[in-house]
Amino acid sequence: MRFWGVRGSIPAPGPATRRYGGNTPCVEVRCGDELLIFDLGSGARGLGDALVATRKPVKASIFISHYHYDHLQGLPFFSPMFSPANDVTLYGSPRDGKSLKQILAGQMVPPYFPVTAEDVFRTRLAYRDVVVGEDIPVGKATVRTLELNHPGGNVGYRVDFGGRSLVYATDVEHGTELDAKLFDFARGADALIYDSMYTEDEYRGRNGPARTGWGHSTWEAAVRAADASEVKQLVLFHHDPGRDDAGMDKLLREVRKHRKATIAAKEAMVIEL
């Protein structure tokens, strides 16, 4: 897996975030010949450009966790969408009576965007509405799905391939009955990518406004989730846009006092399972 965007809520580019990166979520996962992409935040622009630069047809399965803009803002700029040589399947859960296609089309309309998806997308494009709880075959990989606790709904994904497993659980708030379901879902995974946007003090409002109910978790909850799920590798993700590189270094040092091998996702980081 390779990280193209690791930041939450809004892009935060600049010298203070150069080492960890300022783009919003996008993760590339390779399972043999299959290309799986999780979310299309602003990091998707760089991924798309890298794929097109190979000058080979692109075949990709893209899994959208939910439809908040930081997870979709790269879609109109994902360059494989503009060539008929490519083959893209989009997966996501219907929400509020709208299909995946209707939801995605709704962000590319005037006055919010100058052109529609129908106007400019030329790839062979398929939309697949996900029934949360189903298993989705992608080549020899299996993608499992789970509803997570986040305002408006959010899908967590688990990929199993070749005896290895990865769980993508961004934008999840701990502290509900869904925690136990997530622990079972992630049980024994080789890697758990987990929302760790806040510290416990930030979450509880001990320094600044409380973030309870905002749909995100803490590094402390991430450690508990990794331990309860008995996963091998915890990967912190969806970093607070206000936390600079020095702040991320400090947070990671605290986490490693409790779970030594923890990684904080950085743009361009590659992890092989």
Side-chain angles (χ1 to χ4, degrees):
M1 54 183 167
R2 181 185 179 107
F3 295 90
W4 293 88
V6 301
R7 194 69 54 170
S9 298
I10 191 171
T17 57
R18 184 175 293 119
R19 283 192 291 110
Y20 285 87
N23 281 302
T24 56
C26 182
V27 180
E28 171 190 4
V29 176
R30 297 281 181 168
C31 297
D33 294 330
E34 298 293 338
L35 167 60
L36 284 63
I37 300 169
F38 292 90
D39 281 330
L40 291 173
S42 62
R45 186 184 68 84
L47 170 57
D49 290 350
L51 292 171
V52 169
T54 67
R55 298 185 180 277
K56 297 178 181 178
V58 176
K59 181 178 180 293
S61 299
I62 302 175
F63 296 86
I64 306 297
S65 63
H66 64 300
Y67 306 110
H68 290 160
Y69 199 49
D70 53 326
H71 294 255
L72 285 183
Q73 58 202 168
L75 172 61
F77 308 97
F78 186 63
S79 46
M81 291 295 197
F82 305 114
S83 171
N86 301 325
D87 191 337
V88 175
T89 302
L90 287 160
Y91 296 85
S93 177
R95 299 289 178 185
D96 298 325
K98 293 182 180 180
S99 69
L100 168 68
K101 183 176 182 179
Q102 289 172 320
I103 294 169
L104 295 185
Q107 72 152 355
M108 291 179 64
V109 293
Y112 310 111
F113 205 77
V115 293
T116 69
E118 188 173 329
D119 288 335
V120 295
F121 288 167
R122 293 292 176 262
T123 185
R124 294 187 295 274
L125 182 59
Y127 295 87
R128 168 76 186 279
D129 287 348
V130 170
V131 177
V132 179
E134 73 172 319
D135 293 351
I136 303 166
V138 182
K140 294 182 180 180
T142 299
V143 181
R144 297 169 55 196
T145 58
L146 180 74
E147 187 72 24
L148 301 178
N149 180 37
H150 190 69
N154 181 42
V155 181
Y157 295 101
R158 175 174 177 141
V159 182
D160 288 281
F161 171 76
R164 298 291 185 268
S165 53
L166 161 69
V167 174
Y168 181 75
T170 188
D171 292 64
V172 56
E173 185 165 0
H174 59 288
T176 73
E177 70 282 356
L178 294 179
D179 287 357
K181 293 182 179 180
L182 175 57
F183 301 159
D184 287 340
F185 184 73
R187 184 80 56 202
D190 289 282
L192 170 63
I193 300 172
Y194 190 91
D195 183 330
S196 50
M197 193 164 182
Y198 304 126
T199 67
E200 189 69 17
D201 285 344
E202 291 166 347
Y203 182 73
R204 299 295 178 187
R206 296 176 186 135
N207 51 359
R211 277 80 164 184
T212 54
W214 289 18
H216 299 288
S217 199
T218 66
W219 69 256
E220 293 92 337
V223 169
R224 291 195 296 270
D227 289 346
S229 305
E230 302 175 317
V231 300
K232 295 177 182 177
Q233 179 71 69
L234 172 61
V235 183
L236 308 180
F237 191 70
H238 205 274
H239 309 320
D240 192 314
R243 202 178 313 282
D244 62 13
D245 288 335
M248 285 300 307
D249 290 341
K250 179 180 178 181
L251 184 149
L252 185 57
R253 286 194 297 270
E254 288 300 312
V255 177
R256 285 178 170 170
K257 293 177 183 178
H258 303 269
R259 194 174 173 95
K260 188 175 181 180
T262 299
I263 294 171
K266 295 180 178 179
E267 283 183 32
M269 175 184 283
V270 177
I271 299 175
E272 185 171 348
L273 301 180

